[in-house]
Amino acid sequence: MGKINLRRVRQAFMNRFPDAYIAISKQVSEHYLFSTERAFLRGSLQLEPSKPSYAFYAANRAGSMLLKRTMAALAAENGREHLDLQRYFVHTDRRRLERLEDETWVRERLMGGGFCLGPLRAPLPPSVLDTIPSIALIRDPRDIVVSHYYAVTSAHTIFDRSFLEMKEAAENMTIDEYALSFAEEAFGQAISFAKLCERENQTLFKYEDFMSDYEGVLKQVSKALNLNPPSQELREQLKAEVAAPGKGDRSQHKRSGLHGQFNKELMPETVEQLNRIYESELQQLNYL
């Protein structure tokens, strides 16, 4: 008997019984996963008021999970506590995301204590940005729309009704139709991160540089956030993960990871349309 692929079994159950999967997923996230985030919200997480907190931003499909593992490892080596509140709120109750937009809540709960917060999908309240140093990772939005299509239709698990509706809509589109419909959000998010990093204590990095010169970017990230450089062991561990090639499997979170896939996956007229509509944004982001 061959080895059972549990990921594919889970996806088959999810696709056949989406509502049941969503209900189970929410209960698992609320009671078994995200132990650090739950402890923080209960007030039972030991804080270090003398250590400043910092944040990191990345769009979905812009290397956010790789950045998350990198930042969590850096945080551990620097005596910080990593919190992925955005993901916890999305996987349990989206209404909780309002807390990350609440200036008072952010100031009282996140400013001190030595937290590494992220990945965030949108900037924190403007009034607190100057007191929380941050980095942001952007990727060519034309690659994001391609990667997002495969993620929504094949790779991502369903975690709530909103995502299920997005998935069902995407499954009824061609990749070119989806690229054109999702482009406004992808470009808008990249521009918002670029504008965020015009502030003095916010630093912008590109996914393409992250993948091609991981160790160099890692040093720059540490310097930007005033952290100790990563140990040799950590550098080697993370570098190996970056170097691992995507297998082109649509069901895998890392399908390709390559730059310029939009030229291969989209029709030339779609690429031309994206370049024409978003010419200003591509120039602003230095992708054109």
Side-chain angles (χ1 to χ4, degrees), residues 21 53 75 80 82 97 113 115 120 130 151 153 160 162 173 180 194 196 211 233 235 241 248 250 256-257 262 269 285:
Y21 186 89
S53 295
R80 304 297 209 278
H82 172 248
L97 286 171
F115 296 119
L120 298 171
D130 291 333
T153 56
D160 65 6
S162 176
M173 296 182 188
L180 292 170
L196 164 71
M211 299 300 287
E233 180 181 0
R235 290 202 308 272
E241 186 175 346
R250 296 182 183 184
S256 162
F262 65 89
E269 51 265 40
L285 298 168

Side-chain angles (χ1 to χ4, degrees), residues 70-190:
T70 298
M71 297 302 290
L74 270 177
E77 284 202 343
N78 282 268
R80 304 297 209 278
E81 195 73 64
H82 172 248
L83 292 174
D84 191 353
L85 292 174
Q86 173 108 27
R87 191 162 183 257
Y88 174 65
F89 291 157
V90 166
H91 280 257
T92 54
D93 185 349
R94 281 182 181 268
R95 292 171 296 182
R96 296 175 176 176
L97 286 171
E98 294 178 357
R99 299 183 188 183
L100 297 176
E101 301 172 1
D102 184 333
E103 176 189 344
T104 302
W105 191 85
V106 171
R107 280 190 179 279
E108 292 179 352
R109 300 300 303 274
L110 297 171
M111 293 291 286
F115 296 119
C116 165
L117 182 65
L120 298 171
R121 309 302 190 189
L124 293 169
S127 59
V128 302
L129 285 176
D130 291 333
T131 54
I132 299 183
S134 308
I135 65 163
L137 187 68
I138 63 169
R139 183 184 187 184
D140 190 325
R142 295 167 297 183
D143 276 327
I144 285 182
V145 296
V146 168
S147 184
H148 203 271
Y149 174 77
Y150 288 124
V152 169
T153 56
S154 304
H156 271 319
T157 55
I158 300 170
F159 46 81
D160 65 6
R161 172 58 60 175
S162 176
F163 186 84
L164 176 60
E165 292 171 357
M166 181 191 298
K167 176 180 172 66
E168 290 173 342
E171 289 173 340
N172 289 311
M173 296 182 188
T174 66
I175 188 171
D176 292 88
E177 291 170 338
Y178 187 84
L180 292 170
S181 70
F182 187 68
E184 183 176 358
E185 181 175 335
F187 276 93
Q189 192 170 39

